[in-house]
Amino acid sequence: MSNVANRTIFIRDNLEVMRGVNSASVDLIYLDPPFNSKRMFEAPIGSRAAGAAFKDAWTLDDVKEEWVTQIEDDHPALAHIITAAGKAHSEGMQAYLTWMTVRLMEMQRVLKPTGSVYLHCDPTAAHYLKAAMDAVFGSDNFRSEITWKRTTTHSDSKNWANVNDIIFYYAMSDNYLWNPQHGKYDPEYVHTKYRYDDDDGRGPYTLDNMTSPNLRPNMMYEWQGHASPPRGWRYSMETMTRLDSEGRIRYPDSKRKRPRLKRYLNEMPGRILDNLWTDIAPVNSQAKERTNYPTQKPLALLERIIKASSDAGDLVLDPFCGCATACIAAERLGRQWIGVDISEKAYELVIERMRREVSLGDADLPALFGSVSHRTDAPKRTDAAAPRRSRNIKERLYIAQSRRCAGCRIELPARLLELDHITPRSKGGPDVDANLQLLCGWCNRTKGARSNDYLRERLSRAV
Ligand SMILES: C[S@@+](CC[C@H](N)C(=O)[O-])C[C@H]1O[C@@H](n2cnc3c(N)ncnc32)[C@H](O)[C@@H]1O
Ligand SMILES: [Zn+2]
């Protein structure tokens, strides 16, 4: 159950806000965080610089010890990757990934088992973020890497122009919500396939076979002077009569050729969309939705994501909401929403934007405008009764397990043992003492997001 009202904008660090949101209470998260681009953005993006312009760049001074411990405890392998990124790339990347990972961990906690998450980023940090997403949401739950062609005007005389953003899409489990989305057919495909038009206002159509591929004795009859096909027709005489009265049958000039069915282009759902999105234009200076927010994303992009991964009434969270594109899109599609941004400027823009959208008369926004809550506090969880894991659980387990790995039973120093969720968090296992054990690195990686039974089976094969 959600403990935050629909249509709430929080102006506060999203880590504090998300820590106050009930577990398993959100259906869909879209996040468009700062990308570690080392560029200046006008809108402030870090708590230290709140209210002022801020660089999208991180240093290890921004990292709290508590975050490092939390990552080491829950995702020891990822902790190694982050440290390695610090050596291989830069300390800035290490700091950025730490900052992002603790937030991703809260997102994983607040999403329902049927939920989904979309992380919008660009190639600057995408390949490092993918590793963090795999660890936190489970690599089995990775669904797609969407490439969005975000601009057509960019040109670069010394490089292939970088025109794409990347959106990582993960589900929380195998039991996730999915509504396939359709787009326009390729004009070339339409041109070659929908070749006919009767100029009766019904538009172009293509012709389909009306003969049955399998033997159907009960569909063998003569139709308008055309003998039954050897295996029968595809339709009963009743359906044939209806199709004929609707003008949907095209008759050939010879009785030896077969009549065919007209399929109209405007009745087709469109091309089923894939992970390459080239049909969503950037928010240009002409666009009605333009707010001048430096990193504003198009409504069409958010509407596509929200339609595919939520149903009406579901709760959408955008923890880096900026000028609240995701919130406006959610509202237009009848979803509930919560937006979080650290910048007060963002809230001003949200309100300004809602006014503008109202005057555009696009949706039922007047009602919405009056009912948006503006909060600067962090919410308080109402499900906190759920037992939490104790702080010194690692030491306690080390003694309880007689200093041994719970899998292979080899005795090891504590620092070589890693905390493992017996039922993985990606499979709904709770973060409580009773669901924790210490494993050596080999056992932990062998088990992965699987069960102890699986690990035991692998161990018995290993000897
Ligand atoms: C790339 S922008 C998001 C743009 C948004 N998708 C839109 O369409 O307007 C990133 C946002 O994250 C916000 N932000 C940065 N650090 C934050 C934090 N710790 N908590 C909440 N918001 C933060 C920034 O203020 C900025 O508005
Ligand atoms: Zn072991």
Side-chain angles (χ1 to χ4, degrees):
M1 265 291 284
S2 171
N3 59 325
V4 177
N6 181 19
R7 299 175 179 147
T8 302
I9 296 266
F10 287 94
I11 301 301
R12 199 183 175 94
D13 182 351
N14 54 20
L15 182 60
E16 294 162 26
V17 173
M18 288 190 289
R19 282 181 171 167
V21 173
N22 282 353
S23 297
S25 62
V26 174
D27 295 285
L28 169 63
I29 295 180
Y30 167 84
L31 68 148
D32 174 22
F35 296 168
N36 198 19
S37 66
K38 304 204 170 53
R39 289 216 315 265
M40 288 288 290
F41 283 108
E42 254 167 63
I45 50 170
S47 50
R48 291 171 187 216
F54 191 78
K55 252 175 106 183
D56 179 12
W58 270 255
T59 72
L60 286 178
D61 294 341
D62 301 321
V63 169
K64 289 195 184 150
E65 192 54 44
E66 166 221 345
W67 300 347
V68 177
T69 314
Q70 201 189 333
I71 299 170
E72 279 172 353
D73 279 356
D74 283 19
H75 301 291
L78 176 60
H80 289 300
I81 294 177
I82 294 177
T83 313
K87 298 204 168 73
H89 188 285
S90 60
E91 286 190 349
M93 186 59 83
Q94 183 176 357
Y96 175 68
L97 290 173
T98 309
W99 185 88
M100 278 297 296
T101 299
V102 283
R103 286 165 175 80
L104 293 175
M105 286 166 70
E106 289 310 312
M107 296 178 212
Q108 200 276 342
R109 183 184 59 76
V110 303
L111 274 170
K112 292 182 188 169
T114 48
S116 305
V117 54
Y118 289 76
L119 167 62
H120 192 137
C121 58
D122 76 1
T124 323
H127 305 84
Y128 294 91
L129 286 170
K130 171 75 167 48
M133 293 288 281
D134 273 352
V136 175
F137 291 96
S139 47
D140 290 352
N141 289 323
F142 168 69
R143 289 286 169 279
S144 199
E145 174 182 321
I146 298 160
T147 297
W148 173 46
K149 188 176 180 197
R150 84 185 132 72
T151 172
T152 43
T153 52
H154 190 85
S155 66
D156 192 325
S157 58
K158 287 200 162 179
N159 188 9
W160 313 110
N162 282 306
V163 296
N164 71 307
D165 276 2
I166 293 167
I167 303 172
F168 291 123
Y169 161 45
Y170 284 71
M172 282 289 287
S173 69
D174 289 347
N175 181 26
Y176 63 107
L177 180 98
W178 178 247
N179 304 316
Q181 296 299 302
H182 297 86
K184 285 211 179 78
Y185 290 113
D186 181 21
E188 187 60 30
Y189 167 83
V190 169
H191 185 74
T192 49
K193 175 138 190 197
Y194 291 83
R195 282 183 286 144
Y196 306 91
D197 195 331
D198 294 343
D199 293 320
D200 57 358
R202 292 205 255 182
Y205 62 88
T206 184
L207 291 175
D208 245 10
N209 212 336
M210 296 188 92
T211 60
S212 171
N214 311 312
L215 188 65
R216 297 174 90 175
N218 57 336
M219 303 272 197
M220 291 188 179
Y221 52 87
E222 188 189 301
W223 178 255
Q224 307 259 346
H226 294 271
S228 169
R231 297 173 189 213
W233 299 101
R234 198 174 279 214
Y235 306 96
S236 67
M237 187 149 0
E238 208 186 340
T239 309
M240 272 301 218
T241 310
R242 178 175 55 79
L243 291 171
D244 190 42
S245 70
E246 291 169 1
R248 285 177 166 269
I249 302 179
R250 188 175 164 115
Y251 292 95
D253 33 26
S254 147
K255 291 283 178 212
R256 268 182 298 178
K257 294 188 193 155
R258 298 198 195 286
R260 303 185 73 192
L261 183 70
K262 302 177 187 174
R263 277 202 199 282
Y264 290 94
L265 176 62
N266 65 11
E267 290 169 355
M268 303 308 285
R271 182 178 67 91
I272 192 136
L273 290 176
D274 50 39
N275 67 346
L276 192 57
W277 295 2
T278 56
D279 58 339
I280 295 183
V283 186
N284 63 34
S285 50
Q286 257 73 79
K288 282 199 267 179
E289 64 193 80
R290 170 93 167 187
T291 67
N292 285 328
Y293 204 75
T295 53
Q296 183 181 355
K297 300 297 178 292
L299 270 171
L301 182 81
L302 272 301
E303 288 186 349
R304 177 170 295 174
I305 290 171
I306 292 171
K307 279 187 202 159
S309 291
S310 70
D311 285 337
D314 282 355
L315 178 59
V316 179
L317 166 66
D318 184 346
F320 296 90
C321 73
C323 65
T325 311
C327 305
I328 303 271
E331 184 67 37
R332 287 157 71 115
L333 294 169
R335 273 62 164 174
Q336 307 189 58
W337 56 265
I338 302 169
V340 188
D341 203 285
I342 199 152
S343 160
E344 186 64 38
K345 184 117 187 278
Y347 178 71
E348 288 161 22
L349 281 161
V350 170
I351 294 302
E352 182 214 295
R353 175 167 200 181
M354 285 179 180
R355 287 214 178 88
R356 280 156 40 92
E357 304 268 331
V358 174
S359 63
L360 293 177
D362 266 327
D364 259 354
L365 289 170
L368 156 68
F369 176 59
S371 59
V372 175
S373 330
H374 173 196
R375 285 178 68 171
T376 52
D377 64 326
K380 293 216 168 28
R381 280 176 65 178
T382 55
D383 65 345
R388 282 191 59 76
R389 101 145 78 121
S390 31
R391 284 211 157 269
N392 58 351
I393 185 65
K394 207 173 163 184
E395 291 98 275
R396 288 215 243 154
L397 285 173
Y398 190 56
I399 296 161
Q401 293 180 197
S402 316
R403 295 192 284 275
R404 289 169 194 281
C405 165
C408 63
R409 310 297 302 158
I410 292 174
E411 193 170 330
L412 287 165
R415 69 186 158 78
L416 294 182
L417 290 170
E418 301 169 355
L419 211 48
D420 171 62
H421 286 80
I422 298 170
T423 300
R425 298 235 272 176
S426 59
K427 304 252 155 71
D431 190 25
V432 298
D433 290 6
N435 190 40
L436 293 168
Q437 62 184 356
L438 294 179
L439 293 178
C440 72
W442 186 88
C443 284
N444 200 7
R445 263 164 295 295
T446 302
K447 176 171 175 280
R450 288 172 288 247
S451 65
N452 271 351
D453 285 347
Y454 172 84
L455 176 60
R456 263 179 237 121
E457 209 264 318
R458 282 292 303 271
L459 282 162
S460 70
R461 272 195 276 147
V463 280

